[in-house]
Amino acid sequence: MDKNFQDEEFARVVKFTPPLYKQRYQFVKDLVEKYKPKKVADLGCADCRLLRMLKFCSCIEVLAGLDICASVMKEKMHTLSPLPLDYLQPSERSLTVTLYHGSVAHKDPCMLGFDLVTCIELIEHLEESELKKFPEVVFGFMAPSIVVISTPNSEFNPLLPGVMLLRHPDHKFEWNQAQFQGWALEAATCYDYSVEFTGVGHPPAGMENIGFCTQIGVFMRKYPQNDESAQSEKPTEAVYKTVFKAVYPSLKDEKYLQNAVVNEVIFTAEIIRHRLLPKQEEEEEEEDLERKSKFQPTVDTFSDCLGKVVVDKTREPFVSGSEVYIPLATIFSFPKVNRLCGTFEKLCQLIAGKVTLSGDGSAVVFSTEHENEEN
Amino acid sequence: KTIGLQISTGLQDLSLRDRGGRRRDYHDLGVNTRQAMVHVQESKTGLSGRMIKLSTNHFRLTSRPQWALFQYHVGYSPEMESRRLRSALLFQHEEQIGKTHAFDGSILFLPKNLGNKVTELFSRTRSGEDVKITVTLTNELPPTSPTCLQFYNIIFRRLLKMLNLQQIGRNYYNPGDPVNIPNHRLVVWPGFSSSILQYEESIMLCADVSHKVLRGETVLDFMHSLHSQIGEERFRDACAKELVGLIVLTRYNNRTYRIDAVSWDNSPMGTFRKSDGSEISFMEYYKKQYNIDITDPKQPVLISQRKSRGIVQGTVVLMPELCSLTGLTDKMRSDFNTMKDLAIHTRLPPEQRQREVGRLLNYIQKDDNVQKELGNWGLSFDYKSVAFMGRVVQGEKIFQSGSMFDYNPQFADWTKETRGAPLIRAMPMDNWLLIYTRRSYDVANTLLQSLFKVTPSMGIRMNKPNMIEVDERTEAYLRVLQQRVNPDINIVVCILSSSRKDRYDSIKKYLCTDCPVPSQCVLARTLSKPQTIMTVATKIALQMNCKMGGELWSVEIPLKQVMIVGIDCYHDIVSGRQSVAGFVSSLNQTMTRWFSRCVVQSRGQELVDGIKACLQTALRNWFKWNKSLPSRIFVYRDGVGDGQLNTLVNYEVPQFLDCLKTIGTDYSPRLTVIVVKKRVGARFFAEAGGGLKNPPPGTVVDTVVTRPEWYDFFIVSHTVKHGCVTPTHYNVIYDASQLKPDHLQRLTYKLCHMYYNWSGVIRVPAPCQYAHKLAFLVGQSIHREPNLLLSDRLYYL
């Protein structure tokens, strides 16, 4: 059973707009936008809905999910896979999404080094024994810079129609504000974190004292990260099982960068070659004249941000015999190529062996023959 | 649980269909036409020809003994509305129901029997409400039931997903192993198409290699390069022309959309109303929802219509910058170099193609998760492809005015054999025009001289033409046509210096409608190579002869009193969704003359109404030529989409029969309707010397991989230079001819020899190809029905 569905249920009566679960996710998203964590883990990720939202946050490079139930994760895990477009146009940032099957009561080194760990509507599902180990695992072992914990506020329950005791049959407990804050403060003190309390789902006017429908604690680690000393005492045995791993194509990966650069270089060179070669009866003069006289580049409707080909006189492409020479310097001046490579040296290095170059390696060479074979 | 949700989305479709709703069924399941044809009840296989050992891309599905799928109805008391809740409540009893299940909210499928006809379960909602769930066994589905087949397909698609293949459209592709073609900005993903169906003797998986052509650029990039190529003036038109009808992928979800329009009045700055009623701009929305910054706020937007059963359900607005094109534009398709570069990667020779398919089967066999999933349902595959015997029917003799030729059956081409032989009926070119521009003066003369050299041996009498030089403008061409063309002119030849479509269209439009005279357009470029000029001139001479009503060759057709009809459709997706049906029917016994008409479908009109009218005039013309009416009519119907067979059987065929009744009270010809399909997943390979080759032309397959409920067969009639030959599928949906399967197969194969624009065997019967040509010309260039004065000639070749 998952938590989103339970909210949908009662939101029908006490209307939260947007629905409460969305507000909780938005809360996490805002936090990510504010602190720009690179590595984020969601404990109790269930059907990965939060992870699916977070994968669009461009600051995140490592995204992990952990759940005690493998099948609920597997249900929608394929939606965390890269999209076709992620392959076609690899992004600048690198991103790895991993799903683990395991318990928050166990320590696994794969959870080390995270910047943000979220536990959205998780703790109320824990058995007493698990809850007892939870602070040591999350604050003591994982020790991320920020921890977010949300849980139902039992004081709000009387306002929710149909809720007798607990909001969900799998809930082991639901705390009031004092209980949650007491528990949170104790954990924070013990592991050297500070904590601030907030929530989502405002109480009706006049009943502010009962607090938010969902109470949230945001924990900040007070000490700076100290990898070596901390790591040395931590166990290295892996107990979680990886159920899913997706490495997104990224230009940080030399393979994808090279591919992107080679593609761009060849395409760019192809455009230049086309402009260079005499038009072979393709378009007649009459038509060109027509166009020249009438064509007034109006950029109103459609901003022209195509990299205008500015060809430096000193490095002009030329035709020699049956070959076209397009200097790399010209190609490098194209905005897209330029942006991808950064430096001219990088360009040369990336296309080496992948694109036919002139003897001195300064120009891309194309054959002019290719064009009209058996047309 | 995994399987539960994933499959049930697919099954939702299934149950909808079961309730009588019309769903797209690509495999035309449940259309059982063979049962109405008594003469093929026992056997639908032919006997003639030599046997040949074939293998195919089909794999047998093996399941455990007594495999059955149990279908249950699940009821709730009190009623539960939410599908998720229904599902959650039911699976509180997983130990009883089992881990392997598929549930769509009301229908539950299990691989096991629960034991009782009715099982009652009690669950509790989180609010403490007690719910009684009644699970009633409604059906025990044998492995061959259509529902089960649908079910296999759903499971198989899931397996492909588990192998990390990406679904695009109907097929699955491997993004990890792309082929880049940077000079055209194309990326090709290798992948597979798959379908599981009940074939003649067993249920089989048909797996084929598929390639998805993708573009390494966004729609916005594409618009920019188009803009720089053609300039501002024609830009918007060109955008619509190039983009409408294409499928795009987006940066933020895994859906595909078809572009229906480009909206220039809207932009990313435009707003829309969200489901909660708030107004938001596209830019804000994408930023908020997906953290995507749109860099060009002035770009136009793309419109995609969501359709269900042909009815527009709503529109989706897409940002060009966030979309990427798939497939090829018409422009790319007509670019020889692009297609050549693509073909290197997509046209796999038989051996390699079968190896790739084998790789997929291998993945399936090796993957533990996949095997587990299959095991849960009690399914497995035979990992070796099916092998069987096919037949190669004998080649035809080609008759040409008094002489007879044999051709090498391996090449299926008689260009060499018949070179220099007189034609059956050569039309004189006494009075003709040759129109050219100043620049093409030389090639015009070259063409003329070459024609003078090649025509005498064909028996074509040719005078010097009226040579007319025109300016390089469309109006100049048209003015000359208006001034100089009259009904006495045999043919007009125009030499064009570019493949500009509008000019070609104007010429064709004028000469096909306003002033009906056969015409031949030739690109100057094709005449510019001295080494090929004689071949080109020969082809042009033959083509012109056909356009004027000439006859080139024939094959022996033993059936008498027969009229053959070919029908094909052209769907114009750009301008107003106009559809055109080409209708071509034979006029004489030797099938060398054809009557051609077409139907331009206007809005809200059924194509078949027009086809009926064509059939009536076709019979009248047949009567004029033969002084009697045909006793047998064979209709070869091409242009039928997947899933449309039912409509054809239940609607179109009865219309044909009705139409025949109106001809005369005592007239009852024997009608046969054959659906011709070129796009099929089946591939056949001939085993030769330990390797695999394409089967030779004339290979007929009517066992093992055909469908038991149909009277169908495959013929490989043509050859290909590269890659794998695709067999053509013929499905006889109505047959009163009483002809033996052997004879119908032979007749079909013979007709594949009769297409005059190619001195060889083609993929489909000639009338289908003629109908295609006609529909294409009308749909692309003329847009209305050509003048009927031309209808007894192949003026559209």
Side-chain angles (χ1 to χ4, degrees), chain A residues 300-301 303, chain B residues 265-272 279-284 294 296-301 319:
Chain A
D300 301 349
T301 45
S303 29
Chain B
D265 311 327
N266 209 339
S267 75
M269 292 185 285
T271 61
F272 71 101
E279 188 109 349
I280 189 169
S281 78
F282 295 113
M283 288 189 75
E284 282 174 87
I294 293 178
D296 184 354
K298 285 178 173 172
Q299 61 192 300
V301 300
M319 306 295 120

PDB file of all heavy atoms in Angstrom, chain A residues 300-301 303, chain B residues 265-272 279-284 294 296-301 319:
ATOM      1  N   ASP A 300      10.980  38.902 -36.536  1.00  0.00           N
ATOM      2  CA  ASP A 300       9.951  39.125 -35.527  1.00  0.00           C
ATOM      3  C   ASP A 300       9.396  37.835 -34.952  1.00  0.00           C
ATOM      4  O   ASP A 300       9.368  37.620 -33.748  1.00  0.00           O
ATOM      5  CB  ASP A 300       8.760  39.890 -36.128  1.00  0.00           C
ATOM      6  CG  ASP A 300       9.190  41.217 -36.669  1.00  0.00           C
ATOM      7  OD1 ASP A 300      10.338  41.595 -36.382  1.00  0.00           O
ATOM      8  OD2 ASP A 300       8.393  41.848 -37.376  1.00  0.00           O
ATOM      9  N   THR A 301       8.911  37.024 -35.861  1.00  0.00           N
ATOM     10  CA  THR A 301       8.164  35.861 -35.427  1.00  0.00           C
ATOM     11  C   THR A 301       9.067  34.760 -34.918  1.00  0.00           C
ATOM     12  O   THR A 301       8.664  33.936 -34.129  1.00  0.00           O
ATOM     13  CB  THR A 301       7.364  35.298 -36.594  1.00  0.00           C
ATOM     14  OG1 THR A 301       8.223  35.262 -37.720  1.00  0.00           O
ATOM     15  CG2 THR A 301       6.164  36.152 -36.868  1.00  0.00           C
ATOM     16  N   SER A 303      12.904  34.054 -33.749  1.00  0.00           N
ATOM     17  CA  SER A 303      14.241  34.560 -33.481  1.00  0.00           C
ATOM     18  C   SER A 303      15.290  33.639 -34.093  1.00  0.00           C
ATOM     19  O   SER A 303      15.262  32.434 -33.891  1.00  0.00           O
ATOM     20  CB  SER A 303      14.451  34.691 -31.976  1.00  0.00           C
ATOM     21  OG  SER A 303      13.680  33.759 -31.297  1.00  0.00           O
TER      22      SER A 303
ATOM     23  N   ASP B 265       0.525  31.431 -34.112  1.00  0.00           N
ATOM     24  CA  ASP B 265      -0.093  32.458 -33.260  1.00  0.00           C
ATOM     25  C   ASP B 265       0.258  32.236 -31.798  1.00  0.00           C
ATOM     26  O   ASP B 265       0.008  33.085 -30.962  1.00  0.00           O
ATOM     27  CB  ASP B 265      -1.619  32.419 -33.396  1.00  0.00           C
ATOM     28  CG  ASP B 265      -2.045  32.414 -34.835  1.00  0.00           C
ATOM     29  OD1 ASP B 265      -1.324  33.054 -35.636  1.00  0.00           O
ATOM     30  OD2 ASP B 265      -3.062  31.783 -35.167  1.00  0.00           O
ATOM     31  N   ASN B 266       0.766  31.065 -31.506  1.00  0.00           N
ATOM     32  CA  ASN B 266       1.074  30.757 -30.119  1.00  0.00           C
ATOM     33  C   ASN B 266       2.590  30.649 -29.948  1.00  0.00           C
ATOM     34  O   ASN B 266       3.326  30.537 -30.915  1.00  0.00           O
ATOM     35  CB  ASN B 266       0.401  29.437 -29.742  1.00  0.00           C
ATOM     36  CG  ASN B 266       0.066  29.382 -28.274  1.00  0.00           C
ATOM     37  OD1 ASN B 266       0.648  30.100 -27.465  1.00  0.00           O
ATOM     38  ND2 ASN B 266      -0.867  28.509 -27.934  1.00  0.00           N
ATOM     39  N   SER B 267       3.032  30.681 -28.706  1.00  0.00           N
ATOM     40  CA  SER B 267       4.460  30.560 -28.421  1.00  0.00           C
ATOM     41  C   SER B 267       4.601  30.032 -26.999  1.00  0.00           C
ATOM     42  O   SER B 267       3.608  29.920 -26.279  1.00  0.00           O
ATOM     43  CB  SER B 267       5.131  31.929 -28.551  1.00  0.00           C
ATOM     44  OG  SER B 267       4.793  32.710 -27.428  1.00  0.00           O
ATOM     45  N   PRO B 268       5.820  29.729 -26.583  1.00  0.00           N
ATOM     46  CA  PRO B 268       6.002  29.268 -25.196  1.00  0.00           C
ATOM     47  C   PRO B 268       5.503  30.278 -24.177  1.00  0.00           C
ATOM     48  O   PRO B 268       5.283  29.937 -23.018  1.00  0.00           O
ATOM     49  CB  PRO B 268       7.517  29.093 -25.088  1.00  0.00           C
ATOM     50  CG  PRO B 268       7.961  28.798 -26.471  1.00  0.00           C
ATOM     51  CD  PRO B 268       7.064  29.612 -27.358  1.00  0.00           C
ATOM     52  N   MET B 269       5.323  31.531 -24.609  1.00  0.00           N
ATOM     53  CA  MET B 269       4.831  32.538 -23.677  1.00  0.00           C
ATOM     54  C   MET B 269       3.315  32.446 -23.512  1.00  0.00           C
ATOM     55  O   MET B 269       2.757  33.042 -22.610  1.00  0.00           O
ATOM     56  CB  MET B 269       5.239  33.931 -24.152  1.00  0.00           C
ATOM     57  CG  MET B 269       6.751  34.131 -24.063  1.00  0.00           C
ATOM     58  SD  MET B 269       7.269  35.795 -24.460  1.00  0.00           S
ATOM     59  CE  MET B 269       7.091  35.817 -26.227  1.00  0.00           C
ATOM     60  N   GLY B 270       2.671  31.721 -24.420  1.00  0.00           N
ATOM     61  CA  GLY B 270       1.229  31.528 -24.322  1.00  0.00           C
ATOM     62  C   GLY B 270       0.868  30.768 -23.055  1.00  0.00           C
ATOM     63  O   GLY B 270       1.719  30.130 -22.430  1.00  0.00           O
ATOM     64  N   THR B 271      -0.386  30.836 -22.683  1.00  0.00           N
ATOM     65  CA  THR B 271      -0.786  30.198 -21.429  1.00  0.00           C
ATOM     66  C   THR B 271      -1.826  29.111 -21.681  1.00  0.00           C
ATOM     67  O   THR B 271      -2.415  29.035 -22.752  1.00  0.00           O
ATOM     68  CB  THR B 271      -1.390  31.209 -20.455  1.00  0.00           C
ATOM     69  OG1 THR B 271      -2.547  31.776 -21.067  1.00  0.00           O
ATOM     70  CG2 THR B 271      -0.399  32.282 -20.079  1.00  0.00           C
ATOM     71  N   PHE B 272      -2.011  28.292 -20.700  1.00  0.00           N
ATOM     72  CA  PHE B 272      -3.098  27.307 -20.742  1.00  0.00           C
ATOM     73  C   PHE B 272      -3.636  27.126 -19.332  1.00  0.00           C
ATOM     74  O   PHE B 272      -3.011  27.532 -18.352  1.00  0.00           O
ATOM     75  CB  PHE B 272      -2.609  25.993 -21.341  1.00  0.00           C
ATOM     76  CG  PHE B 272      -1.658  25.212 -20.446  1.00  0.00           C
ATOM     77  CD1 PHE B 272      -2.116  24.120 -19.713  1.00  0.00           C
ATOM     78  CD2 PHE B 272      -0.326  25.572 -20.351  1.00  0.00           C
ATOM     79  CE1 PHE B 272      -1.244  23.404 -18.897  1.00  0.00           C
ATOM     80  CE2 PHE B 272       0.545  24.862 -19.530  1.00  0.00           C
ATOM     81  CZ  PHE B 272       0.084  23.778 -18.805  1.00  0.00           C
ATOM     82  N   GLU B 279      -4.135  29.404 -14.391  1.00  0.00           N
ATOM     83  CA  GLU B 279      -3.578  29.711 -15.698  1.00  0.00           C
ATOM     84  C   GLU B 279      -2.055  29.766 -15.583  1.00  0.00           C
ATOM     85  O   GLU B 279      -1.533  30.322 -14.625  1.00  0.00           O
ATOM     86  CB  GLU B 279      -4.139  31.064 -16.156  1.00  0.00           C
ATOM     87  CG  GLU B 279      -3.800  31.436 -17.559  1.00  0.00           C
ATOM     88  CD  GLU B 279      -5.018  31.368 -18.478  1.00  0.00           C
ATOM     89  OE1 GLU B 279      -6.056  30.841 -18.045  1.00  0.00           O
ATOM     90  OE2 GLU B 279      -4.917  31.852 -19.609  1.00  0.00           O
ATOM     91  N   ILE B 280      -1.374  29.157 -16.542  1.00  0.00           N
ATOM     92  CA  ILE B 280       0.084  29.145 -16.451  1.00  0.00           C
ATOM     93  C   ILE B 280       0.654  29.202 -17.862  1.00  0.00           C
ATOM     94  O   ILE B 280       0.051  28.681 -18.807  1.00  0.00           O
ATOM     95  CB  ILE B 280       0.564  27.875 -15.690  1.00  0.00           C
ATOM     96  CG1 ILE B 280       2.065  27.942 -15.388  1.00  0.00           C
ATOM     97  CG2 ILE B 280       0.246  26.603 -16.461  1.00  0.00           C
ATOM     98  CD1 ILE B 280       2.532  26.858 -14.419  1.00  0.00           C
ATOM     99  N   SER B 281       1.813  29.845 -18.029  1.00  0.00           N
ATOM    100  CA  SER B 281       2.418  29.883 -19.362  1.00  0.00           C
ATOM    101  C   SER B 281       3.206  28.596 -19.561  1.00  0.00           C
ATOM    102  O   SER B 281       3.606  27.942 -18.604  1.00  0.00           O
ATOM    103  CB  SER B 281       3.340  31.090 -19.504  1.00  0.00           C
ATOM    104  OG  SER B 281       4.566  30.828 -18.861  1.00  0.00           O
ATOM    105  N   PHE B 282       3.400  28.233 -20.835  1.00  0.00           N
ATOM    106  CA  PHE B 282       4.135  27.000 -21.132  1.00  0.00           C
ATOM    107  C   PHE B 282       5.535  27.057 -20.525  1.00  0.00           C
ATOM    108  O   PHE B 282       6.033  26.084 -19.988  1.00  0.00           O
ATOM    109  CB  PHE B 282       4.229  26.790 -22.647  1.00  0.00           C
ATOM    110  CG  PHE B 282       2.885  26.550 -23.286  1.00  0.00           C
ATOM    111  CD1 PHE B 282       2.348  27.485 -24.150  1.00  0.00           C
ATOM    112  CD2 PHE B 282       2.168  25.403 -23.005  1.00  0.00           C
ATOM    113  CE1 PHE B 282       1.103  27.273 -24.738  1.00  0.00           C
ATOM    114  CE2 PHE B 282       0.930  25.184 -23.589  1.00  0.00           C
ATOM    115  CZ  PHE B 282       0.398  26.124 -24.459  1.00  0.00           C
ATOM    116  N   MET B 283       6.140  28.240 -20.620  1.00  0.00           N
ATOM    117  CA  MET B 283       7.500  28.374 -20.103  1.00  0.00           C
ATOM    118  C   MET B 283       7.551  28.087 -18.609  1.00  0.00           C
ATOM    119  O   MET B 283       8.394  27.347 -18.136  1.00  0.00           O
ATOM    120  CB  MET B 283       8.033  29.783 -20.377  1.00  0.00           C
ATOM    121  CG  MET B 283       8.342  29.983 -21.830  1.00  0.00           C
ATOM    122  SD  MET B 283       9.197  31.484 -22.171  1.00  0.00           S
ATOM    123  CE  MET B 283      10.833  31.165 -21.637  1.00  0.00           C
ATOM    124  N   GLU B 284       6.585  28.702 -17.891  1.00  0.00           N
ATOM    125  CA  GLU B 284       6.546  28.467 -16.447  1.00  0.00           C
ATOM    126  C   GLU B 284       6.270  27.011 -16.145  1.00  0.00           C
ATOM    127  O   GLU B 284       6.855  26.414 -15.245  1.00  0.00           O
ATOM    128  CB  GLU B 284       5.408  29.301 -15.825  1.00  0.00           C
ATOM    129  CG  GLU B 284       5.706  30.760 -15.639  1.00  0.00           C
ATOM    130  CD  GLU B 284       4.438  31.456 -15.165  1.00  0.00           C
ATOM    131  OE1 GLU B 284       4.204  31.485 -13.951  1.00  0.00           O
ATOM    132  OE2 GLU B 284       3.664  31.926 -16.029  1.00  0.00           O
ATOM    133  N   ILE B 294      13.138  26.978 -21.373  1.00  0.00           N
ATOM    134  CA  ILE B 294      12.967  27.132 -22.815  1.00  0.00           C
ATOM    135  C   ILE B 294      13.771  28.352 -23.228  1.00  0.00           C
ATOM    136  O   ILE B 294      13.572  29.444 -22.694  1.00  0.00           O
ATOM    137  CB  ILE B 294      11.480  27.270 -23.169  1.00  0.00           C
ATOM    138  CG1 ILE B 294      10.780  25.945 -22.876  1.00  0.00           C
ATOM    139  CG2 ILE B 294      11.297  27.675 -24.628  1.00  0.00           C
ATOM    140  CD1 ILE B 294       9.304  25.924 -23.123  1.00  0.00           C
ATOM    141  N   ASP B 296      14.172  29.749 -26.370  1.00  0.00           N
ATOM    142  CA  ASP B 296      13.608  30.622 -27.391  1.00  0.00           C
ATOM    143  C   ASP B 296      12.120  30.840 -27.130  1.00  0.00           C
ATOM    144  O   ASP B 296      11.293  30.016 -27.503  1.00  0.00           O
ATOM    145  CB  ASP B 296      13.832  30.009 -28.778  1.00  0.00           C
ATOM    146  CG  ASP B 296      13.346  30.920 -29.879  1.00  0.00           C
ATOM    147  OD1 ASP B 296      12.732  31.961 -29.562  1.00  0.00           O
ATOM    148  OD2 ASP B 296      13.577  30.599 -31.061  1.00  0.00           O
ATOM    149  N   PRO B 297      11.779  31.954 -26.505  1.00  0.00           N
ATOM    150  CA  PRO B 297      10.365  32.180 -26.156  1.00  0.00           C
ATOM    151  C   PRO B 297       9.504  32.548 -27.360  1.00  0.00           C
ATOM    152  O   PRO B 297       8.299  32.630 -27.243  1.00  0.00           O
ATOM    153  CB  PRO B 297      10.432  33.337 -25.158  1.00  0.00           C
ATOM    154  CG  PRO B 297      11.695  34.047 -25.483  1.00  0.00           C
ATOM    155  CD  PRO B 297      12.648  33.036 -26.058  1.00  0.00           C
ATOM    156  N   LYS B 298      10.145  32.776 -28.520  1.00  0.00           N
ATOM    157  CA  LYS B 298       9.368  33.236 -29.681  1.00  0.00           C
ATOM    158  C   LYS B 298       9.057  32.117 -30.675  1.00  0.00           C
ATOM    159  O   LYS B 298       8.442  32.364 -31.705  1.00  0.00           O
ATOM    160  CB  LYS B 298      10.121  34.351 -30.394  1.00  0.00           C
ATOM    161  CG  LYS B 298      10.054  35.675 -29.651  1.00  0.00           C
ATOM    162  CD  LYS B 298      10.866  36.697 -30.396  1.00  0.00           C
ATOM    163  CE  LYS B 298      10.706  38.077 -29.817  1.00  0.00           C
ATOM    164  NZ  LYS B 298      11.656  38.988 -30.468  1.00  0.00           N
ATOM    165  N   GLN B 299       9.488  30.928 -30.402  1.00  0.00           N
ATOM    166  CA  GLN B 299       9.236  29.860 -31.357  1.00  0.00           C
ATOM    167  C   GLN B 299       7.735  29.572 -31.449  1.00  0.00           C
ATOM    168  O   GLN B 299       6.996  29.804 -30.503  1.00  0.00           O
ATOM    169  CB  GLN B 299       9.984  28.593 -30.934  1.00  0.00           C
ATOM    170  CG  GLN B 299       9.573  28.051 -29.569  1.00  0.00           C
ATOM    171  CD  GLN B 299      10.507  26.982 -29.064  1.00  0.00           C
ATOM    172  OE1 GLN B 299      10.672  25.968 -29.692  1.00  0.00           O
ATOM    173  NE2 GLN B 299      11.122  27.232 -27.919  1.00  0.00           N
ATOM    174  N   PRO B 300       7.307  29.079 -32.595  1.00  0.00           N
ATOM    175  CA  PRO B 300       5.900  28.691 -32.702  1.00  0.00           C
ATOM    176  C   PRO B 300       5.683  27.413 -31.882  1.00  0.00           C
ATOM    177  O   PRO B 300       6.636  26.872 -31.331  1.00  0.00           O
ATOM    178  CB  PRO B 300       5.723  28.405 -34.189  1.00  0.00           C
ATOM    179  CG  PRO B 300       7.082  28.007 -34.655  1.00  0.00           C
ATOM    180  CD  PRO B 300       8.056  28.791 -33.829  1.00  0.00           C
ATOM    181  N   VAL B 301       4.468  26.931 -31.798  1.00  0.00           N
ATOM    182  CA  VAL B 301       4.240  25.676 -31.074  1.00  0.00           C
ATOM    183  C   VAL B 301       3.670  24.630 -32.037  1.00  0.00           C
ATOM    184  O   VAL B 301       3.174  24.963 -33.108  1.00  0.00           O
ATOM    185  CB  VAL B 301       3.293  25.860 -29.868  1.00  0.00           C
ATOM    186  CG1 VAL B 301       3.867  26.850 -28.883  1.00  0.00           C
ATOM    187  CG2 VAL B 301       1.905  26.275 -30.330  1.00  0.00           C
ATOM    188  N   MET B 319       6.281  22.062 -27.527  1.00  0.00           N
ATOM    189  CA  MET B 319       7.294  23.074 -27.811  1.00  0.00           C
ATOM    190  C   MET B 319       8.341  22.475 -28.758  1.00  0.00           C
ATOM    191  O   MET B 319       8.953  21.453 -28.419  1.00  0.00           O
ATOM    192  CB  MET B 319       8.011  23.502 -26.521  1.00  0.00           C
ATOM    193  CG  MET B 319       7.095  23.961 -25.408  1.00  0.00           C
ATOM    194  SD  MET B 319       6.208  25.476 -25.832  1.00  0.00           S
ATOM    195  CE  MET B 319       4.534  24.902 -25.703  1.00  0.00           C
TER     196      MET B 319
END
